[in-house]
Structures are given as structure tokens and as C-alpha cells.
Amino acid sequence: MKKWLVILWFSLLSTKLLAQSLGSLMVVNKGGNTMSILDLDLNTELTRIPTGEGSHEVAVSPDGKIAVVCNYGNQTPNNSLTIIDIAQKSSIKKIDLGIYQRPHGIEFIAPEEVIVTSEVAQVLIKVNIKTDAVTEVVKTNQEGSHIVAYCKADGKAYVANRRSGSVSVVDVKGNKLLKTIVLKPGTEGLDISPNGKELWVANQIDSTVTIINAQTFKEEALLYAHQNAIRVKFLPNGKYSLISNAKTGNVSVYDVAARRLIKDIDLFNLDKGIEGLGKAKDLKNPPIPVGITTHPSGKFVYIAAVNYGTIAVIDTANWEVVATIRAGASPDGLYHSPLKIN
């Protein structure tokens, strides 16, 4: 009887611990052609998996089991995706995208299908990661089709075209270009609000954030950020939006409803640990924050400090950096998985 009680106790304890796990974080290290898997409970790097040359962005399947990395290339354009089994901590295969060079922005739209931007071909494509089938969604006919955001609620994708200075609005299911929203060159980071109503677009040249009505495609507001506003990310509850400012080395937090800046989080000296924050800035050694993602609970935000090879963990209860996690060289693209990796 006692033996069974002990077994039951350990079983319940394991279930409780599993339920409380923060999961893991996929980090693309574009300076090392690798992807790190980070344990978010221990704030440590578990492994580093080789990718293709010049890997930049990553997306994780809805079940959290598969990561897909875009191999963008360095001086020479790349044209492949690396498929990674997260639990096994190993690469499964590479998918050749043929003429669709410089793949960058990526999101899952189904359990086995992703959408990917191709800068060279100026298109948005669909890729079935099981069959390796590549099909064209639409031509953006815009230069620098870079980042993509996908709205599950209505099936629309938004592609930021950084050199043309525009956003392509795409009906993914219908393979149809709905609208080209003309903004300014430097348009790069963007995200769609969880309710699908607002599109926030960062411009890294003039350091602004344009708020666009996702139903009318009209500009509704212009917010000022800091130098090289480069990425945008909403919290899952839609109450806050974050902008990473690469040159000024900080992350800006905005109240979405009020459309108001509420805090700038300085990441200078993060390479020395959180105890270095708030001290004199080493301007010769800036953090260069770029990639942003959130925990599904909304309790934490993760920021890639490219120059430091470090991920900042931000607690959204007080908007403070509470931990750092070392990754590889020049970490950038980030994506959460609920899996607890052994």
C-alpha cells in the first residue's frame, strides 16, 4: 500500500512540475548558423543545432514539436529551410526552395504548413514541411519582402517590404493580394493585434510606429519610438505592444488602447548580467536588441540582444529584466515552444 502511495505521490508531483514548466525557447544565431534551444525553467542553453548559412528567423509548429528555420544566406543568397525536431534536439532535413531565395519571415498556418517571404523573388510562398511542396501564394512585387505576420482569425498575412516601404496584405487561403499599403522605406518590423483589428508597423529609418486599421487599411496613428525601431510584438492579451530599438539599445512598451509609451527598458550592459543594468552605458559595446517573442501566458517577454549573444527575460508585471540566458553568436529570431526538453 505504501509503495503505491509513493508512486502516486511522485506521479502527481511530476504532473504538477510539468504543468508549471515555462517550456523552451528557440533562438536562431545568425552569426553561427545554428539554432539554440533554451530551457526557460533553468534559464540555460541546452543545445545548439546546425542550420543553413545565414539563418535568421524561426517558427514553431502549433503542437510545439517542430521548429522551422529560414536560411537567408550571407553574401550569397540562400534558399532553404531547416526542419528541427525539438524534443530530439536534432535536425530532420532541409527543404530546397528553388528560385525562392533569401527566405526570411515565417509563420505556421497549419500543423504541417508554413508561409515564408522571399526577398529575391518578391513573393510569399507556402511550404508543406512534410511533403516539401512549395507553392506560390502571391507576388508582392515589392523590394525587400522581409517580415510576415499572420492573423489566424481571418487568414490574412501582412508582409513588410523594407526597401519599397510598404506592407502587402494577403488573403492566404485565396492566394490573393488584397492591398499594398504605401508607407516609407525602412518599413520592417510589424505585428497584428491578437483580435486582428490593428496592425503596428515599425520604421527603422525614421524610428516611428504606424498604427493601421486592419479592416480599412487606413493609418490611424503615428507613434514615436527610438532609433532603429526594428521589431514589434503584441502581448497575447493585446493590452501592450513592444518595440525593439536596435541603435538606442532599449525596448519600448506601449499601452495599446491609450496608444501611449509607458516605459523604455534599457539593455545596455546586459552582457554583464542584470546587475549591470542601470549603470553607465558602454556606448562602444551596445546590446542591439532585435528579435522579440512572448510567453503564451503573457507573463514574460524575451528579447535577443544581438551584440551580446544574450536573451533578456522581462517580467511583464513590472517591466523589469529578471534574468539573462546565453545563446550563440548574434541571436535574432525567437519562438516559444511549450515542450519541456530533457
Side-chain angles (χ1 to χ4, degrees):
M1 184 67 177
K2 288 183 179 181
K3 181 179 178 181
W4 284 109
L5 286 173
V6 170
I7 293 173
L8 179 60
W9 182 82
F10 272 110
S11 177
L12 291 172
L13 179 61
S14 298
T15 302
K16 183 179 180 181
L17 290 173
L18 184 63
Q20 292 175 340
S21 174
L22 292 172
S24 54
L25 189 68
M26 308 303 116
V27 181
V28 175
N29 306 301
K30 60 185 181 184
N33 303 325
T34 61
M35 188 195 81
S36 295
I37 299 180
L38 307 186
D39 185 314
L40 295 178
D41 299 317
L42 301 175
N43 290 330
T44 189
E45 183 182 33
L46 296 174
T47 190
R48 232 174 262 181
I49 302 165
T51 60
E53 185 177 356
S55 50
H56 278 213
E57 295 293 326
V58 60
V60 171
S61 59
D63 61 9
K65 295 180 179 180
I66 299 294
V68 183
V69 175
C70 287
N71 301 313
Y72 181 82
N74 294 316
Q75 295 300 317
T76 301
N78 204 328
N79 65 338
S80 66
L81 304 178
T82 299
I83 314 302
I84 294 171
D85 184 315
I86 295 173
Q88 296 300 317
K89 297 179 285 190
S90 64
S91 173
I92 299 173
K93 62 180 177 180
K94 283 185 182 176
I95 297 177
D96 188 329
L97 302 179
I99 63 171
Y100 303 111
Q101 296 180 324
R102 295 286 195 204
H104 192 273
I106 182 169
E107 287 290 348
F108 269 87
I109 58 172
E112 296 176 345
E113 192 170 41
V114 293
I115 49 173
V116 183
T117 62
S118 166
E119 283 193 358
V120 172
Q122 300 180 5
V123 300
L124 182 68
I125 59 175
K126 292 178 186 174
V127 183
N128 187 303
I129 63 170
K130 184 175 182 180
T131 66
D132 300 358
V134 180
T135 56
E136 197 166 293
V137 179
V138 296
K139 294 185 182 296
T140 64
N141 293 318
Q142 302 289 294
E143 293 185 38
S145 298
H146 199 61
I147 298 292
V148 65
Y150 179 66
C151 181
K152 295 178 183 178
D154 59 14
K156 288 203 290 278
Y158 301 86
V159 178
N161 309 299
R162 58 180 178 172
R163 286 190 289 276
S164 291
S166 63
V167 175
S168 302
V169 184
V170 178
D171 173 358
V172 173
K173 186 176 180 180
N175 296 340
K176 182 179 180 182
L177 179 66
L178 299 176
K179 178 78 175 179
T180 300
I181 304 171
V182 179
L183 297 169
K184 294 179 181 178
T187 294
E188 183 167 338
L190 82 173
D191 197 17
I192 185 72
S193 61
N195 61 12
K197 293 183 178 181
E198 289 188 356
L199 180 71
W200 285 40
V201 185
N203 188 298
Q204 65 159 305
I205 293 178
D206 65 11
S207 301
T208 59
V209 180
T210 302
I211 300 176
I212 297 170
N213 185 304
Q215 280 69 53
T216 66
F217 308 133
K218 302 293 184 182
E219 297 179 32
E220 293 193 339
L222 184 70
L223 305 179
Y224 292 93
H226 298 288
Q227 281 186 292
N228 297 131
I230 197 165
R231 293 288 184 272
V232 185
K233 191 66 180 178
F234 282 94
L235 253 62
N237 62 13
K239 291 183 178 181
Y240 300 99
S241 183
L242 292 93
I243 314 295
S244 56
N245 306 298
K247 190 170 184 179
T248 47
N250 59 7
V251 178
S252 299
V253 184
Y254 293 84
D255 182 307
V256 172
R259 294 177 178 173
R260 177 175 59 88
L261 174 68
I262 62 171
K263 186 168 184 178
D264 288 324
I265 305 169
D266 194 340
L267 299 183
F268 268 90
N269 307 323
L270 190 72
D271 56 333
K272 301 176 179 65
I274 57 176
E275 61 273 12
L277 297 174
K279 297 181 180 179
K281 296 180 180 180
D282 182 357
L283 298 178
K284 294 181 180 180
N285 187 33
I288 313 180
V290 181
I292 311 177
T293 198
T294 64
H295 192 272
S297 68
K299 293 181 179 180
F300 297 101
V301 173
Y302 307 99
I303 312 289
V306 175
N307 194 40
Y308 293 164
T310 298
I311 308 303
V313 182
I314 297 173
D315 189 331
T316 62
N318 53 16
W319 298 113
E320 299 288 343
V321 179
V322 294
T324 62
I325 314 173
R326 293 293 298 172
S330 302
D332 188 358
L334 309 174
Y335 219 102
H336 178 267
S337 169
L339 296 189
K340 173 69 176 177
I341 310 301
N342 297 321

